[in-house]
Structure formats: C-alpha cells, structure tokens
Amino acid sequence: MRDTSMHEWLVILSEHAITLIGFVALAVIVFATLQALVAVVRAVFSPLGHDERARVWLQYARWLVVALTFQLAADIIETAITTDWQAIGRVGVVAVIRTFLNYFLERDMSETRALRAEARADAHAEH
C-alpha cells in the first residue's frame, strides 16, 4: 500500500513540475518573441545594419534554446511517469524533434558568431 501511495505522489508532483516547466518555457518564448518583434519594428523606422540584425537573431536564438531545454526537461520527467508505450513513443518523438531543433539552433548560432568574429578581424586588419 505504501509503494502505491508514494507512486501516486510522484505522479502528482511530476505532473505539477511538467506544467510549471512548460509554463516557464512558454514565458521564455513569449518574452523572446516580443523582444525580437520590438527590434523588427524599430528596424522598420531605422534599418538595422548586418551586425545589428545578427545580434537580434542570436539573442532570439539563445532564448529559443533556453525554452527548448526547459521543454526537454519536462519531456524527461513525463517519460518517468508514463506507463503507456504509445505515450512514451509520442514523448520520445517530441524530445527527438526538440533535440534536433536545439542542435541546429546551436550550430547556426556558432556559425553566426564565427562569421561576426571573422568580419571584425577583417575590419581590424584593414585599419
């Protein structure tokens, strides 16, 4: 009887944690999107240079990576309490998709940083 009770508490706590972590991920995405939107609206009135556009994109991408990481954490917790194989498969597929998105965002951010560093080095070499 005690094991069942502990398991029920684990499920309840996990469900609350999943909801909370999902809310945090949503809040991060909304904040980042609003921040990027403000930058885009400003660009309408005073066009952004290449460096400024790259900075806005990198900042937005960083926030999305943070949100994806929170979502992956919620997925991991969900797999710990899910007993239905179909649900586990669904969560697994979602986790794989989020992992790939995270990987490609990280790769794009690294490439953008490298290009910016290269452009700065070229600018310093010219002077």
Side-chain angles (χ1 to χ4, degrees):
M1 183 73 170
R2 183 171 184 202
D3 288 337
T4 304
S5 176
M6 288 187 67
H7 178 73
E8 289 170 359
W9 273 105
L10 175 65
V11 170
I12 291 167
L13 289 174
S14 295
E15 288 171 347
H16 288 322
I18 292 165
T19 301
L20 177 63
I21 293 168
F23 177 76
V24 170
L26 175 65
V28 168
I29 291 168
V30 169
F31 170 78
T33 301
L34 289 174
Q35 192 177 48
L37 179 63
V38 167
V40 168
V41 169
R42 283 185 184 157
V44 168
F45 298 107
S46 62
L48 299 175
H50 178 70
D51 272 354
E52 186 63 19
R53 277 185 305 211
R55 186 194 63 75
V56 168
W57 184 87
L58 279 172
Q59 189 172 11
Y60 189 52
R62 282 185 197 114
W63 283 117
L64 292 179
V65 167
V66 169
L68 282 167
T69 303
F70 277 113
Q71 289 176 326
L72 282 169
D75 292 342
I76 290 167
I77 294 170
E78 189 173 351
T79 60
I81 62 169
T82 302
T83 57
D84 177 28
W85 282 105
Q86 186 175 6
I88 291 172
R90 180 188 52 77
V91 170
V93 168
V94 169
V96 167
I97 291 168
R98 289 178 179 163
T99 301
F100 274 108
L101 287 172
N102 197 351
Y103 169 79
F104 287 113
L105 270 173
E106 287 278 359
R107 190 185 74 185
D108 287 350
M109 287 173 26
S110 294
E111 288 174 4
T112 301
R113 279 191 293 265
L115 289 172
R116 287 178 72 193
E118 185 179 305
R120 278 187 295 235
D122 288 346
H124 288 302
E126 290 177 4
H127 287 61

